[in-house]
Amino acid sequence: PHLVDIAKDKGVNRFIYASSSSVYGLRDEENVTEDLALLPLTDYSKYKALCEDILLKKRESGFSTLILRPATVCGYSPRLRLDLTVNILTNHAVNRGNITVFGGKQKRPNIHIQDLTDLYVRSLEWSDEQIDGKIYNAGYENHSVGEIAEIVRKGVGDKVSISTEPSDDLRSYHISSEKIRHELGFQPAHTLDQAVTGLTEAFRIGAVPNPLTDQRYYNIKTMQSLRIT
């Protein structure tokens, strides 16, 4: 049975779904808003979009739903992922002294992990009238990958070198988070620079053991080791 059905059977009256801004795929629009059609490019984003449909079909009186489409998460957390753009580049800058940028012009929206966890907590506090059936993007800073690399170098140190390689990953999008700011008053407060600073400190004090080799920081590597891909 679907997780949604189990939740309803157990008396859950609010279901908050963490989708992803990657469901928009490759877009030419200057700002990607929630009313655009979804064009997922990968299995990950395809199934994120399909789960949105399932949840909306199960919505009914007494069972409110909220779909959030977060930007790429960045910044230090105890359950750290090092397979996300800002985190990858900061890891390589601190622990290798160099950054390799693939492409560089692709735009990537970002949101600090602290802002995202704050958003999930607030999602439990808003009234049903405010959030039921709603879909919101959740992002803060939109930068190209090349710009992110420069922000990382500035935060880690000028001795970090940056090299650029061609890429066939053309995914690029600039999401708008104006709707959630206007309707719910939610606006992230943590910058990309703060994410880089927090990660850099964590690496340097040893809070992230074996960041270049431990597969627990990398979702695909972990799934492959468990043979679930």
Side-chain angles (χ1 to χ4, degrees), residues 73-77 80-92 152 195 199 203:
V73 182
C74 61
Y76 174 75
S77 65
L80 184 62
R81 285 185 60 185
L82 293 176
D83 50 5
L84 303 169
T85 306
V86 174
N87 297 5
I88 293 171
L89 298 183
T90 307
N91 183 18
H92 289 185
V152 170
L199 285 163
F203 289 131

Side-chain angles (χ1 to χ4, degrees), residues 49-67:
L50 288 172
C51 288
E52 289 188 15
D53 288 338
I54 290 172
L55 182 60
L56 290 174
K57 289 175 182 176
K58 299 288 184 178
R59 173 178 168 249
E60 62 183 16
S61 177
F63 185 75
S64 60
T65 67
L66 172 63
I67 293 171

Side-chain angles (χ1 to χ4, degrees), residues 112-124:
H112 195 288
I113 182 65
Q114 185 63 60
D115 287 317
L116 190 56
T117 53
D118 287 347
L119 173 57
Y120 290 140
V121 171
R122 291 190 65 181
S123 295
L124 300 174

